[in-house]
Amino acid sequence: MGSEINGWKENSSSSSSSKFVCFLFGLSMIFSHCSSSKKIYTETSAIPERIIKPVEVKRTLPLKTTDSLNYLLEHNHILKNHFVGFSLYDFENKENILGVNASRPFTPASNMKLFTLYAALSYLDDRVTALEYRETDDSLIIRGVGDPSFLDPYQKDNDFAFDFLSQSDKDIYVDLSAYEDKRYGTGWAWDDYPYYYQTEKSGLPIYANKFYIRKAVEDSLIHIEPNLFERHINYITDTIAPSIKRSEFSNELVVNSFKLDKKLVNWDMPFANSNELLLELLSDTLNQKVKLVTSSKDSIKFKQLKGIAIDSLLQELMIVSDNFIAEQLLLMCSQEELGYMKTNDLIKHAMQDILFDMPDTIRWVDGSGLSRYNLVTPNANIWVLENLLTKWDFEKIKTYFPSGKG
């Protein structure tokens, strides 16, 4: 890592009728033989017939585009050792131009976020629901609905829920009954728990379900926000132990001062979540006691508190490729469509509702692509992109994708 421990942050102008077409360029050489002679002012003799010598041009790639692509896949020192799928589609003329293994399934990784984007645009409003609530004479009961922006230090203009709660003079109770999922998705790597890209899911996220470890070069001790987590720090001095290590099922930290001496620390670490921790963080942040309420899944109507613009989350989803936001978006879709939060059930619903006419069968497991069980074909990705461009304004869709100018 050198002298720095890096934490999170991971990091077209074309008309609406732009074609999503990639071009393969073959190189050719054109040779011509040119001759010159001195200018003669006397009578000239007949110019002898020019003898054209054939020039052999050795092509690197075959003439046909399909053959060229296959040649590239077979001979490129990187691609030849991998299973590769490719699909080239003309959006304006609605025709497939070129495909290699285009209907074969691949592990898509973060390409899975295309499907999450499509679901979020289909099911969520322009402003997300920050939380649901109902009031009595002396109580305010809030229900988490999956919004990942609550007190996230990286999100702007996300104070809706905080302002609403901090201005209340009533006793605050939290209802977590709508969340019916697990902390991780199926097929995730369980030992990636300390890394920012695999944050635990929850029904009422707070601080993006992470704590933020910082240390300036000249400092001897680390600092954590929220500072409630600083009580979990245990300092050691060791030449072998890791710089910072978190226990898998608790938030105990072992910090190796020897490894961090004269180093910058900027580490966003997921915390081990629990109902007790959530209540403690809320109580500490709001400066009043917050309690848990028994399930309120009854006929009593909850009101919705609208929060951050959905565009803010979708841009983080696609441009930064934020896994946590991806997972929470599917949970929010589940709450809107099904009345509870469970990723697998939402995916089943979406497959029958908005993805029923895809050209190929896919296996969709999570929102982020962390799962090794996801399987998607190149043609399915083309289908999602085409539907995004057909159902929503092109200028709007462009704002969710990297511009290539950064």
Side-chain angles (χ1 to χ4, degrees), residues 19 42 46 52-53 137 164 170 197 211 237 243 290 311:
K19 297 180 181 179
T42 58
I52 307 250
K53 294 182 178 180
D137 292 339
F164 175 75
K170 300 181 179 181
Y197 55 78
F211 53 84
T237 301
S243 303
V290 178
D311 287 349

Side-chain angles (χ1 to χ4, degrees), residues 32-46:
S32 62
H33 179 74
C34 301
S35 63
S36 61
S37 60
K38 293 181 181 179
K39 189 173 183 180
I40 300 174
Y41 293 92
T42 58
E43 187 178 351
T44 60
S45 58

Side-chain angles (χ1 to χ4, degrees), residues 148-298:
S149 69
F150 179 46
L151 297 176
D152 180 351
Y154 292 126
Q155 289 290 340
K156 298 179 180 179
D157 303 321
N158 63 335
D159 295 328
F160 303 96
F162 174 77
D163 290 343
F164 175 75
L165 295 174
S166 61
Q167 292 168 10
S168 176
D169 58 357
K170 300 181 179 181
D171 295 332
I172 299 177
Y173 295 86
V174 178
D175 172 11
L176 300 175
S177 62
Y179 186 75
E180 300 183 11
D181 217 327
K182 300 176 181 178
R183 63 171 184 150
Y184 286 162
T186 303
W188 288 12
W190 291 79
D191 56 352
D192 282 351
Y193 65 88
Y195 303 112
Y196 70 89
Y197 55 78
Q198 189 160 296
T199 303
E200 293 186 17
K201 302 186 290 181
S202 70
L204 181 55
I206 183 170
Y207 296 106
N209 286 358
K210 303 178 191 70
F211 53 84
Y212 305 86
I213 308 172
R214 303 290 185 262
K215 185 182 84 68
V217 172
E218 64 274 12
D219 293 343
S220 58
L221 302 177
I222 65 171
H223 173 67
I224 299 180
E225 290 290 344
N227 57 22
L228 180 148
F229 288 96
E230 292 193 349
R231 67 187 182 190
H232 297 294
I233 301 175
N234 297 298
Y235 286 98
I236 63 170
T237 301
D238 190 276
T239 58
I240 299 177
S243 303
I244 302 175
K245 184 177 181 180
R246 201 207 89 189
S247 301
E248 180 175 357
F249 297 107
S250 77
N251 294 304
E252 296 297 322
L253 285 180
V254 177
V255 177
N256 188 349
S257 299
F258 179 82
K259 291 281 187 73
L260 297 181
D261 185 39
K262 295 182 174 59
K263 290 185 178 179
L264 179 71
V265 178
N266 188 32
W267 194 331
D268 300 352
M269 182 175 288
F271 54 65
N273 207 0
S274 67
N275 292 348
E276 293 74 21
L277 177 61
L278 172 62
L279 295 176
E280 190 173 10
L281 285 169
L282 278 172
S283 299
D284 182 68
T285 301
L286 299 174
N287 198 28
Q288 73 172 96
K289 185 69 174 177
V290 178
K291 301 177 183 178
L292 191 66
V293 70
T294 308
S295 175
S296 298
K297 296 180 72 174
D298 49 35

Side-chain angles (χ1 to χ4, degrees), residues 7-8 20 25 77 81 92 117 158 172 222 242 262 272 282 287 310 321 332 352 387 401 404 406:
W8 172 241
F20 277 66
F25 292 93
H77 72 284
N81 295 320
E92 188 172 81
L117 173 65
N158 63 335
I172 299 177
I222 65 171
K262 295 182 174 59
L282 278 172
N287 198 28
I310 188 67
S321 192
M332 287 191 288
Q352 298 173 358
N387 275 270
F401 289 83

